[in-house]
Amino acid sequence: PKMQHEVARLITEIAAGGVAILLVEQNAAMALELAQHGYILENGKIVLDGPSAELRADKDIREFYLGLGAGGAKSYRQVKLYRRRRRWLS
């Protein structure tokens, strides 16, 4: 966690200096906090993009990629529903 905070601080500092940064990060929450624009990739394909604030606010993004809003462990039925619902991305 200390390194993650340090990296985020350095990225913010570099970007404030006017340097464009391409950040590829598994931690979607951190990446969307740092970014101005985000891209959602599934299976190596861009399936959605937009301003990071809009992506952070999107209900499906919050559930599928940020782990917010769904609550609790997933049953097999819920996982199948997830796979069906995420088709909105394609």
Side-chain angles (χ1 to χ4, degrees), residues 28-78:
M30 180 186 83
L32 288 173
E33 283 294 323
L34 296 173
Q36 294 175 351
H37 195 91
Y39 295 86
I40 305 297
L41 287 95
E42 277 196 10
N43 301 319
K45 179 181 171 186
I46 296 173
V47 293
L48 186 67
D49 73 284
S52 60
E54 287 180 18
L55 295 175
R56 281 194 315 267
D58 185 279
K59 179 182 149 247
D60 289 326
I61 300 269
R62 292 176 60 78
E63 180 180 347
F64 300 151
Y65 298 101
L66 303 178
L68 304 170
K74 302 279 188 227
S75 69
Y76 177 73
R77 185 170 185 269
Q78 289 170 314

Side-chain angles (χ1 to χ4, degrees), residues 3-18:
M3 286 303 297
Q4 182 178 356
H5 293 296
E6 181 65 13
V7 168
R9 186 190 68 74
L10 289 171
I11 289 171
T12 303
E13 185 178 312
I14 292 167

